[in-house]
């Protein structure tokens, strides 16, 4: 797991959405980024864990406490983050379908679905 620090120059909006917190028993993490926003430009990625906010350990903060701490930063927000996996620079190429799609043949049956019967009823 890679730990790193980003400093975002204000004012808000910072360009990210936070999720989790002590009150949810889930670590604080980045759940969404604004494309081209300050956080995205600084290298923050969706899924990054927030380790500290302005030097304060974020593991002990509730969600609202973390939000208030971020709001109180004013013109400069310092975040200590941790990333479990490296961010991919470009999206993976979609898999192409096979050249020949599978072919299904169904033999028509005159006896199927002609009469509604309760489950378990013997055939006529």
């Amino acid at each position: 797991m890679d730990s790193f620090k980003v400093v975002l120059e204000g004012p808000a909006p910072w360009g990210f959405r936070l999720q989790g917190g002590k009150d949810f028993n889930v670590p604080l993490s980045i759940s969404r980024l604004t494309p081209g926003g300050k956080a995205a430009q600084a290298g923050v990625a969706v899924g990054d864990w927030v380790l500290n906010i302005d030097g304060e350990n974020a593991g002990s903060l509730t969600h609202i406490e973390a939000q208030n701490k971020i709001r109180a930063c004013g013109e400069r927000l310092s975040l200590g983050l941790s990333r479990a996996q490296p961010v991919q620079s470009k999206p993976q190429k979609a898999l192409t379908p096979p050249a020949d799609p599978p072919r299904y043949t169904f033999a028509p049956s005159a006896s199927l679905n002609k009469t509604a019967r309760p489950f378990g009823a013997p055939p006529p």
Side-chain angles (χ1 to χ4, degrees):
M1 210 178 286
D2 294 333
S3 296
F4 60 100
K5 180 180 176 182
V6 295
V7 177
L8 306 178
E9 297 298 330
W14 304 111
F16 67 91
R17 181 167 288 179
L18 201 60
Q19 71 180 6
K22 182 178 153 188
D23 47 340
F24 294 100
N25 292 322
V26 176
L28 285 165
S29 65
I30 305 299
S31 65
R32 188 182 310 173
L33 288 173
T34 302
K38 293 173 185 172
Q41 290 178 359
V44 177
V46 172
D48 285 352
W49 288 358
V50 180
L51 301 177
N52 60 62
I53 302 168
D54 263 0
E56 183 178 337
N57 183 357
S60 61
L61 299 176
T62 64
H63 188 84
I64 195 73
E65 289 170 340
Q67 284 182 327
N68 289 337
K69 183 87 173 145
I70 290 167
R71 283 189 188 109
C73 287
E75 294 295 316
R76 190 167 190 236
L77 172 61
S78 173
L79 295 173
L81 302 171
S82 176
R83 182 169 297 152
Q85 297 176 354
V87 176
Q88 294 179 351
S89 58
K90 56 183 178 178
Q92 293 281 338
K93 194 173 185 178
L95 295 175
T96 56
D100 292 328
R103 293 191 179 126
Y104 300 101
T105 55
F106 297 100
S109 172
S111 65
L112 292 178
N113 297 326
K114 291 286 185 181
T115 308
R117 290 186 294 272
F119 289 110

